[in-house]
Amino acid sequence: MEPLNIAVIGAGVIGKRHVQEIRNNDACRLVALADPSPDASGYAASLSVPLYSDYRALLDKEHVDAAVVCTPNHTHLEVGLACIERRVPVLMEKPVADDLESAHALADASKQAGVAVLVGHHRRHNPAVRKAKETIASGRIGRLVLANIMCLLYKPDAYFDVPWRKQAGGGPILINLIHEIDLLRHLSGEIVSVQALSSNTIRAHDVEDSAACTLRLANGALANISLSDTTATPWSWDTAAGEDRQLFDYRPVPTHFFAGTDGALTLPDLTMWSYEDEKGRHRPIHDTHIDLAEENTYANQLRHFVDVARGATTPIVDARDAARTLEATLAVVESARTSSMIELRAK
Ligand SMILES: NC(=O)c1ccc[n+]([C@@H]2O[C@H](COP(=O)([O-])OP(=O)(O)OC[C@H]3O[C@@H](n4cnc5c(N)ncnc54)[C@H](O)[C@@H]3O)[C@@H](O)[C@H]2O)c1
C-alpha cells in the first residue's frame, strides 16, 4: 500500500513531535509543513519538505491524504473546517477548540461531511490507560468511589516569556487539566458537576497557577484533582508516565489513585491493591504490579490516525467526545470564577 501523505499544520513544539513520529512510520510520508513563523523555514529545509505560510495554499497545492493540526487553540476551528471542506481527515491537537460552540461546530462539520476528526488526547493510546480501563470495567476494584489525581508540576520562568501563557486561557486549567479530565472521563465515565477553586497567589499572573477541583461522576463516584504549575514535585503524569522523555524527566511514581469498594488501582505505575479475603483496615492489604511492555504513545496515536484516515476505523476520540472534555474543563474555569457549582449540560 502507498504511504499516506500527511501535512503538518503548525510546526511548533508538538508539531515537531508529530513530524518525528511521521518520519518513523513507514505507513506515512510527510508531504509538507504550514507555518507562518520565520523559524519554520530552516526546519522545513532540514526535512527537505515544502513549507507554506498559508495552510490553505498547502491543502490546495499538495496531494494531502491527511493533516495533523498543531496550531494555537483559537485557530483550531478555522483550520479544521478548511481540512474538512477539502475532505482531508484531521488529527487535531487538544483542546479540540477554544470554546464549546466552536467544538460543536467542528463536530457537526465532521459528521455532515463524513470526514473524520481525531483529537490528540494522546493518553488514550497509552497501554497503561488501556489496561486501567479494562481493570476498572472488569470490576476488579469493585464500585469506584473516589479518584484522586495529582497534576503538580513546575514550569520554569522562561515558559512565561510567551505573553499568552500569563493571560486567561493560557494557564494550567486549559493546558494541563484538560488531559486529566479526559482521562477521568475515559476511565470512569461522564462528569455531571464541577466545583473548583483556583489561585494565582504564587506567580501573580492574571491566569491561575493552581486549582483544586472536585467533580461528581454520573455513576455516583467523586473525584479530586489537584493542579499546579508552580510546585516542585514529581507528581504529574508527564513526569511519572515517561511518555515524552525528550521533554520531561521520568520518575515512575503513582500520581492517579482510583479507590473502589473492593480494591484500588494507581496509575501510571499500574499497581492493584486488594485484601486477600475479608476486607477491613485491620486486615493485611496486598499490592500487585501489572507489568506491561513499554509502547510509544504518540506512535500508537499516529498508527490509529493512519487507520482512521484510510477509513479502516473510527476515531477513538472524535470531536464530539473531545467537546465533552472541553465542556467539563471550561466548567472548572467558570466554577472558580463564580465560586459556584456548575452542572454540565451533556450528562
Ligand atoms: N497533546 C499534547 O500533549 C500537547 C502538547 C503541547 C501542545 N499541544 C497542543 O498543540 C497546539 C500547539 O501547541 P504548541 O505547544 O506546539 O504551540 P507552539 O506555539 O510551540 O506552536 C504552534 C505553531 O503554530 C504556528 N501557527 C500559528 N498560526 C498558524 C496558522 N494559521 N497556520 C499554521 N501555523 C500556525 C506557530 O507559528 C507555531 O510554530 C495547541 O493546541 C496545544 O494545546 C498538545
Side-chain angles (χ1 to χ4, degrees):
M1 200 183 294
E2 276 291 294
L4 197 75
N5 287 322
I6 302 187
V8 173
I9 302 176
V13 174
I14 200 75
K16 292 191 176 79
R17 187 73 171 80
H18 286 288
V19 163
Q20 196 182 342
E21 296 303 337
I22 292 166
R23 285 162 56 88
N24 284 338
N25 183 325
D26 290 342
C28 3
R29 180 191 298 133
L30 180 68
V31 67
L33 297 177
D35 197 310
S37 162
D39 298 343
S41 56
Y43 178 59
S46 74
L47 301 168
S48 307
V49 292
L51 172 70
Y52 291 80
S53 56
D54 179 352
Y55 65 88
R56 289 189 178 84
L58 184 163
L59 292 169
D60 291 336
K61 289 192 184 146
E62 299 287 338
H63 175 78
V64 179
D65 298 318
V68 181
V69 178
C70 311
T71 53
N73 302 347
H74 68 276
T75 65
H76 286 188
L77 176 63
E78 66 164 58
V79 181
L81 291 179
C83 293
I84 290 169
E85 273 165 24
R86 292 161 176 83
R87 308 207 59 74
V88 172
V90 182
L91 167 49
M92 175 64 75
E93 261 307 340
K94 55 52 60 177
V96 56
D98 62 347
D99 63 42
L100 206 51
E101 205 185 354
S102 304
H104 284 299
L106 196 63
D108 289 345
S110 165
K111 187 174 173 199
Q112 276 157 22
V115 176
V117 174
L118 169 70
V119 181
H121 286 295
H122 62 273
R123 289 188 197 172
R124 299 220 200 172
H125 306 271
N126 184 318
V129 171
R130 240 182 271 136
K131 190 70 188 172
K133 187 167 173 67
E134 195 185 298
T135 304
I136 294 171
S138 73
R140 273 183 77 195
I141 67 165
R143 189 165 168 195
L144 182 69
V145 180
L146 234 154
N148 225 327
I149 293 176
M150 287 186 287
C151 179
L152 300 173
L153 43 95
Y154 195 91
K155 293 180 181 163
D157 290 347
Y159 176 90
F160 299 97
D161 290 347
V162 182
W164 65 262
R165 291 178 171 157
K166 294 189 213 169
Q167 295 154 11
I173 295 180
L174 277 163
I175 303 292
N176 306 98
L177 181 77
I178 192 164
H179 285 297
E180 307 306 343
I181 299 252
D182 191 68
L183 185 66
L184 184 68
R185 287 186 56 241
H186 181 57
L187 295 179
S188 322
E190 291 304 335
I191 295 162
V192 294
S193 60
V194 171
Q195 204 154 15
L197 295 173
S198 67
S199 162
N200 63 351
T201 306
I202 304 296
R203 293 196 187 275
H205 295 156
D206 284 347
V207 74
E208 77 284 342
D209 54 51
S210 307
C213 321
T214 302
L215 308 103
R216 186 183 294 281
L217 307 182
N219 61 12
L222 303 176
N224 282 315
I225 309 179
S226 304
L227 172 76
S228 181
D229 66 16
T230 186
T231 49
T233 93
W235 303 316
S236 73
W237 185 273
D238 288 342
T239 300
E243 280 173 339
D244 198 337
R245 295 179 206 175
Q246 295 165 25
L247 276 184
F248 306 117
D249 189 27
Y250 173 44
R251 299 283 150 172
V253 292
T255 50
H256 291 53
F257 300 78
F258 291 84
T261 51
D262 294 331
L265 178 70
T266 64
L267 272 175
D269 63 318
L270 278 183
T271 302
M272 265 287 309
W273 290 87
S274 58
Y275 291 105
E276 222 160 63
D277 38 48
E278 189 194 342
K279 292 188 278 182
R281 62 183 183 174
H282 59 294
R283 303 285 303 158
I285 188 157
H286 299 282
D287 59 320
T288 319
H289 180 67
I290 304 172
D291 270 325
L292 282 183
E294 278 201 27
E295 290 176 24
N296 174 339
T297 301
Y298 292 97
N300 286 351
Q301 175 176 254
L302 179 63
R303 268 194 295 276
H304 174 64
F305 181 51
V306 169
D307 289 345
V308 167
R310 292 202 194 280
T313 189
T314 53
I316 72 163
V317 47
D318 63 14
R320 192 77 69 199
D321 194 359
R324 286 187 151 202
T325 291
L326 181 66
E327 183 184 12
T329 310
L330 293 172
V332 169
V333 177
E334 189 60 7
S335 174
R337 191 184 68 81
T338 58
S339 301
S340 60
M341 189 172 84
I342 307 291
E343 306 267 351
L344 300 196
R345 275 178 292 140
K347 289 188 180 170

